[in-house]
Amino acid sequence: MTNRVSRRNFLVSTAALSGLAVGSTALAACGGSEESGSSTTAAGGAADTLTFDNWTLYIDKPNDDLFGEGGTLAEFQKATGIKVDYTEGINDNNELFAKIQPLLSKGDPIGATIIAPTYWMAGRLLQLDWLDQLPLSEIPNAANLIQSLQNPPNDPTGEYSLPWQSGMAGIAYNQAVTGRELTTMDDMWDPAFRGKIGMLTEMRDTIGLIAMSLGIDLANPDDQDYQPAFAKLEEEVANGQIRQFTGNDYVDDLEQGNYAACIGWSGDVAQLSVSNPDIKFVVPESGGTLWFDTMVIPKGASAEQIQAAGKFMNFVYDPVNAARITETVQYISPVQGVQEELRKMGGEAAALADNPLLFPDASTLARLQTWGTISEEKEQQMDEEFARISGA
Amino acid sequence: MGDGKVAEATILLDAVTKRFGDYVAVEQADFAIARGEFFSMLGPSGCGKTTTLRMIAGFETPTSGRILLEGRDVSDTPPYKRDVNTVFQNYALFPHMSIFDNVAFGLRTAKVPADQVRTRVMDMLDVVRLPDMADRRPNQLSGGQQQRIALARALVNHPAALLLDEPLGALDLKLRQVMQLELKRIQRDVGITFIFVTHDQEEALTMSDRIAVMTQGRVDQIGTPTEIYHTPATPFVAGFIGTANLLPVTVVSQTGDDVTVETRLGGQCTVSSAGTTYAPGSEVTLMVRPERLVPAGAPLHGTGSGASIRAIVTSMVFQGPVVRCQVRTEAGADLVAHLGPEDDPGSFPVGSEMEMTWSHDGAYLVPEPIAADEAGVTSMEDDQTAA
Amino acid sequence: MAAATTDDTGLRRGRFAPYGLLSPGIIWLLLFFLVPVVMLVKASLSTKPSRFADPEFAWDFSNYTSALSEYSPEFLRSFLYAGTATVLAILVGYPLAYWIATCGGRWKNFLIGLVVVPFFTSYLIRTIAWTSILQDDGPVTALYRLLPWVGSDGRILATPLAVIGGLTYNFISFMILPIYVSLEKIDFRLTEAAADLGSTPWRAFRKVVLPLSMPGVFAGSLLVFIPAAGDYLNARYLGSPQTSMIGTVVQNKFLVQFDYPQAAALSLVLMVIITAMVLIYSRFLGTEGLAV
C-alpha cells in the first residue's frame, strides 16, 4: 500500500522503488545503522538513539527538514535526549516483508527498532511470532487511542502494535469526466465509463469494496467466501470496464481524465481536491475499508531500544504532538483529542478539523469495515486469484 | 576539337573544370582518349589527376565543361549509369562476399543470366590467372591477388573504359613490376581503353600509349612516353619524367633548326629548335639528361658537338649499371651525370675539377623559362631504385 | 636432465599463465553468473512447507509444469511484444544510426550523445512520463483519434500499442549504438565501388552496407529483445490487465506472493527460451558476423 505517498512526491518514491533490485544494499545499510546504534548503547550505557523506518512523507517536517526546529523529532529529542534515526525506507508492505523475512525468520535483527507495516502485515508478523511486546508501562498515552481502533483483529490484545495513521478506501472520481456524483459501487460499473475505471493493486481494498457491495462481510474472512467478489472483478476486467490496476499513481490518471473513477484513498484525495475541486471522494453506500498503519517492534531490539521506542510512542500519542503530524500528513489520526488541538492551532489547521476526510462523520464511520485476519492459506489463495485477474 | 575526333574518342573532356569552394582542383582539362588506348594521367599528389578520373567515373560532377563517353554527354549521369568501371586504389573488394560473388557483382546487377555469369566470371578469373580462388574471401588473398580480382571485377563487365586509380600503389616494387607487365598484357588481350592514374613516372612510361602530365590542376603536356621524355613542354614535365639537368638560358639567335643560347656564365652553345621558332632574347630552359652528360674527352652519347661546362665533382655513387656522378658548376647549379664503365669513373675523385660536355642532340630546349635558383638537377626521384 | 626440467617448468608456467590472467574474469563469472544461476535452479526445484517459510530443496519439478501450463499466454505475449519492439527499434533506429554515421560529420559524437541523453533520467521516470504524454485528453491521443480506424473514444494508454511503444522507446538506444558502431566501421568507398559496378544507391545499400552492418543489427536485436522480453514496468504503467507480460508475473510471484520456487522456475524458463531463440537467430544470421 503506497497510499502514504503524496502526489507531489510520487515520482521520487517510485524512483526509489525501481531500486528494488538493490534491496540487499538497503538491507546492508540498515544493518550498518543498527550496528552503530548498538555500539552507542554499549558505550553510553543508555539508549540515546532509536531507529524508526517509516513510509515516505509520513511525519511533519518531511524529507528535507526532518529534524527542523519545532518538528516532532526535534521536540522529542529535546524532551528525552533520544535522537531518532528516522528513515523513509518503506514503499510497499510486500516489499518490506521480502526485505525483512530472511532476517527475522533466522532470528536476526533487521536494524530498525520501530517499523510501520499496515495492520494486516502487522498481523502477519505477529502470527509469525516476529514481534516484541510494546513496553506499555512506558506508554501511558496509549489510553488516547480512539475507540474504533482498540483491540483490532490483527492484534487482539493490543500489546504488540499501536496505530500510526489511519485512512479510508472508497471511490475517488473526477466529476468533470463522470458528469455526475457517484455514490455506489454499481456506479463504477456504468457502461458509460468503460475503460475508464481503475482498481488498486492492494487486494484488500479492491476486493473489500466489491465484497461489501455484494453484501459479504470483512470482519471474519475465514468464514466467508469471496469468490463472488473475484468473479465480479474478473467480469469487469474481461469486458474492458476496468482499465488498469495501480498503486497510488492512480491520482495522475484521475487528474488527467484517464480515469472517470477508481478505488482510492482518502488522504490522496484530501490533498488532490485542494487544487482540483472536481476530484471527489466518497465512501460507497455499501461500505468502504478502514485501514491503518501500525508501529511495531520486530524482535531483536535490545531492552534499552525497546524502552526508547516506548518513550517515542508515548510522545506521539500526546494529542499536541499528534495534531502537529496530522496537520502535515492529513490522514485520520488514531489519537483522541487531535481535532480539538487542531482547532486551537487556528488558521488552516483549524479548517482541517472540519474536513470529513480527516474526521469522518458517524454515518461514514458506520459504513467502514476493517479486514479481519485472513489465514495464511486463504490469503495465499486470494493473493493468487487476485494476481491472476489483475494480470500480475 | 573537331567532330571527327569526338567520334573516334572513347572519352572526351571538353574544357572540364572542377572547383571545391575556392580551390581549383582541375582547370580546363581538354583532351580526348582514343578507343583501345592505354592512357595515363601522371602527376604529383594534389595535381588533379584523381579528381579528373572521378569525374570520368561519375563520382564527381564537373563545375563547368562537359565529359563525353562514346560521344554521349555524361556530365550529369550518375556512376551506375555510366559504361565505365574503376579499379580502386584500395581495391574496395566487398569483404563479405566470396571472390566469385565479387567478380559477379556487376553482371548480377545488370541481370545477366546465371549460367552466363558463371562462364564470364570463370573466364575472367582465368584472364587474371586466379581461377582457383573463386570460393575464397578477399581477406584470404595477398595484396597482388586482390589487385587482380579488383581488375577482374571491373573488366568482366566489358566497360567502354577501365579507370585505374593508382592501382599498384600498395604493392611492393617486385610485384608492381610484374603487375605492370600483367596489366599491359591484359589490356592488349581485352582491347579495352585503360585510363591509368599514377604518380610514378616509371610506371607511366612503362605501360602507357600516351601520358597526360598534370600539375596544380592543369595538364602540362599530353604525348607518348618518348615525346614526353625527350621533348618536355615545360620544365616541370622535364623534371618530373626522369632526371633532368636544367639550366636557364637566353636565346641569342636562331638559324634554321639551330638555336644558339647563352648560359648565365656567358658560355654559348647550339641546340636543335625541334621545330619551334624562338625570338632572340627570350628566356628558355636548356635540358640535358644525365645519360647525355659525359666527361670531356669521353665518347659523346649522340651526334654533333654540343657544349661543355666546368664543374667540381661533389659525389660519386656506384649504382650498378651506372655511376651517379654529381658535380657543381661555377654558377652553383648541381648537375648529375650517369657514367658508364667506359667513362672510367675512378679517374674523377670527389673534389677534382672536370669538364662536362654533351652532344648537339643531347640537349633540348624547353620553351619556358626557369628561375635561377631552380637551376640544376631537378628530379627528386633521381635514384629511381630507391622509390 | 637439469636443462630439460627447466624447460619443462618454463613450458608449464607458460601454459598456465593465460589462465592466471583470465582468473579475475573467471572469478567474476563464477560469482555473479554461475552461482546465482545455480541458486536459481535450486530455488526452482524447491517447495515451501508454508507460505512464509524458507523454500526447501526437493527435486520438485511441478513449478516447471505449472510455469508452462498456467503462464503460456504471458510468455507468448512477452515474446510477441518484445519481438515487435525489436523490429520497430530496427526500423526506427537503423535509419537514424545510418544518418548519423554518414551525414553526422563533426556533429557525430554530439548526435550519438543525444541518443544516450535519455539514460540520464531513470528508466521508471521515463516510462511514467509517457502516461502524461499519452493521456486520454492529451494532444497525442487527440491526433490518434483522427485515424480512420480509431473511434472518438479510442485511447493509447492501457493498450498493447502503448506497451510495445514504451518497450521500443526504452530500449531503442541499445539498437542505435551497436548499429552505429558497425556502420562506422564500414568503408563507404565500397558503396562507390558498387555504384561503379552499376548499382543504384538502394541496391548498393542492400548488397553492401546492410550485410556489413548486420553484426550491429544482431547485437542490437539481442540488447533490445532480451530485456524487453523480461520487462514488467512498461506493461505495469502503460498496459492493462490484458497486456501483462511474464516479467509482471515473476515480479508478483517474488515480491507479493513470496512464491520463490515458482518465480525461479518462470525466470529459468524465460532464460532457456531466450537462449534457444538467440541460438536460432544467430544461426540464421551467421555468428561469423559477430566477429567482423
Side-chain angles (χ1 to χ4, degrees), chain B residues 2 20 62 93 95 98 137 142 156 161 174 180 223 230 279 283 318 342 361 375-376:
Chain B
F20 296 104
L93 295 179
S98 69
R137 290 287 174 110
S142 71
V156 76
K174 271 271 157 51
Q180 286 171 7
H230 291 297
E283 302 282 329
F318 178 71
E342 71 281 10
D361 61 356

Side-chain angles (χ1 to χ4, degrees), chain A residues 106-122:
Chain A
K106 290 184 184 61
D108 293 331
I110 62 160
T113 311
I114 307 175
I115 56 174
T118 303
Y119 70 98
W120 55 268
M121 180 58 76

Side-chain angles (χ1 to χ4, degrees), chain C residues 110-185:
Chain C
F110 174 74
L111 291 168
I112 279 300
L114 285 185
V115 169
V116 184
V117 157
F119 283 96
F120 293 138
T121 314
S122 140
Y123 171 45
L124 188 76
I125 304 283
R126 282 182 284 136
T127 308
I128 291 171
W130 278 106
T131 64
S132 292
I133 297 169
L134 300 176
Q135 59 177 282
D136 287 9
D137 293 345
V140 178
T141 307
L143 281 175
Y144 175 69
R145 284 172 180 164
L146 294 179
L147 294 173
W149 64 90
V150 181
S152 61
D153 59 346
R155 62 169 198 246
I156 301 174
L157 282 181
T159 63
L161 179 67
V163 179
I164 293 168
L167 290 170
T168 310
Y169 161 77
N170 274 310
F171 297 112
I172 195 166
S173 300
F174 297 115
M175 182 65 80
I176 294 173
L177 294 178
I179 292 180
Y180 171 78
V181 169
S182 67
L183 284 171
E184 181 80 316
K185 279 195 297 190

Side-chain angles (χ1 to χ4, degrees), chain B residues 54 85-86 90 96 105 109, chain C residues 189 192 195-196 199 203 207:
Chain B
R54 289 175 60 81
N85 287 114
T86 308
N90 65 342
H96 57 298
F105 191 90
T109 304
Chain C
R189 284 176 294 188
E192 277 192 358
D196 188 74
S199 293
R203 184 179 155 88
K207 292 286 176 187

Side-chain angles (χ1 to χ4, degrees), chain C:
Chain C
M1 256 325 249
T5 319
T6 322
D7 276 5
D8 220 32
T9 17
L11 195 70
R12 202 175 300 142
R13 196 179 300 136
R15 200 179 330 145
F16 285 107
Y19 297 102
L21 289 173
L22 271 175
S23 58
I26 290 173
I27 289 169
W28 173 273
L29 271 181
L30 279 177
L31 219 57
F32 295 103
F33 180 72
L34 203 58
V35 171
V37 166
V38 168
M39 285 169 68
L40 206 58
V41 171
K42 200 178 148 213
S44 72
L45 296 172
S46 301
T47 50
K48 295 176 88 173
S50 67
R51 193 177 188 204
F52 304 121
D54 287 325
E56 284 166 12
F57 185 70
W59 289 113
D60 183 356
F61 287 91
S62 66
N63 294 312
Y64 285 95
T65 50
S66 63
L68 291 169
S69 62
E70 285 174 39
Y71 298 105
S72 48
E74 278 84 0
F75 273 116
L76 283 177
R77 206 178 284 136
S78 296
F79 294 129
L80 184 69
Y81 288 3
T84 313
T86 307
V87 171
L88 285 175
I90 293 174
L91 292 180
V92 177
Y94 196 105
L96 184 66
Y98 185 85
W99 178 75
I100 293 175
T102 54
C103 309
R106 61 204 181 91
W107 295 100
K108 266 183 192 175
N109 289 337
F110 174 74
L111 291 168
I112 279 300
L114 285 185
V115 169
V116 184
V117 157
F119 283 96
F120 293 138
T121 314
S122 140
Y123 171 45
L124 188 76
I125 304 283
R126 282 182 284 136
T127 308
I128 291 171
W130 278 106
T131 64
S132 292
I133 297 169
L134 300 176
Q135 59 177 282
D136 287 9
D137 293 345
V140 178
T141 307
L143 281 175
Y144 175 69
R145 284 172 180 164
L146 294 179
L147 294 173
W149 64 90
V150 181
S152 61
D153 59 346
R155 62 169 198 246
I156 301 174
L157 282 181
T159 63
L161 179 67
V163 179
I164 293 168
L167 290 170
T168 310
Y169 161 77
N170 274 310
F171 297 112
I172 195 166
S173 300
F174 297 115
M175 182 65 80
I176 294 173
L177 294 178
I179 292 180
Y180 171 78
V181 169
S182 67
L183 284 171
E184 181 80 316
K185 279 195 297 190
I186 295 177
D187 181 352
F188 274 86
R189 284 176 294 188
L190 292 177
T191 60
E192 277 192 358
D196 188 74
L197 293 165
S199 293
T200 58
W202 169 241
R203 184 179 155 88
F205 170 78
R206 215 161 35 88
K207 292 286 176 187
V208 178
V209 177
L210 190 61
L212 287 173
S213 62
M214 279 325 263
V217 176
F218 179 75
S221 301
L222 297 191
L223 290 176
V224 171
F225 182 82
I226 293 172
D231 184 78
Y232 70 92
L233 282 170
N234 286 282
R236 156 83 177 72
Y237 286 100
L238 304 174
S240 71
Q242 280 90 354
T243 64
S244 69
M245 296 168 68
I246 198 66
T248 327
V249 176
V250 173
Q251 191 255 359
N252 185 271
K253 289 279 176 195
F254 258 112
L255 287 179
V256 179
Q257 307 194 39
F258 313 106
D259 192 349
Y260 302 140
Q262 179 74 81
L266 287 167
S267 305
L268 281 167
V269 170
L270 183 68
M271 268 175 68
V272 168
I273 296 179
I274 286 181
T275 309
M277 291 173 92
V278 165
L279 289 177
I280 294 167
Y281 185 53
S282 69
R283 179 65 55 87
F284 174 67
L285 220 64
T287 31
E288 180 190 5
L290 278 176
V292 172

Side-chain angles (χ1 to χ4, degrees), chain B residues 123-131 148-149 151-152 155 182 185-186:
Chain B
D123 286 353
M124 192 45 72
L125 287 177
D126 278 338
V127 169
V128 297
R129 295 177 178 164
L130 288 174
R148 289 164 194 243
I149 296 305
L151 195 63
L155 279 176
E182 190 76 1
R185 173 188 70 81
I186 291 170

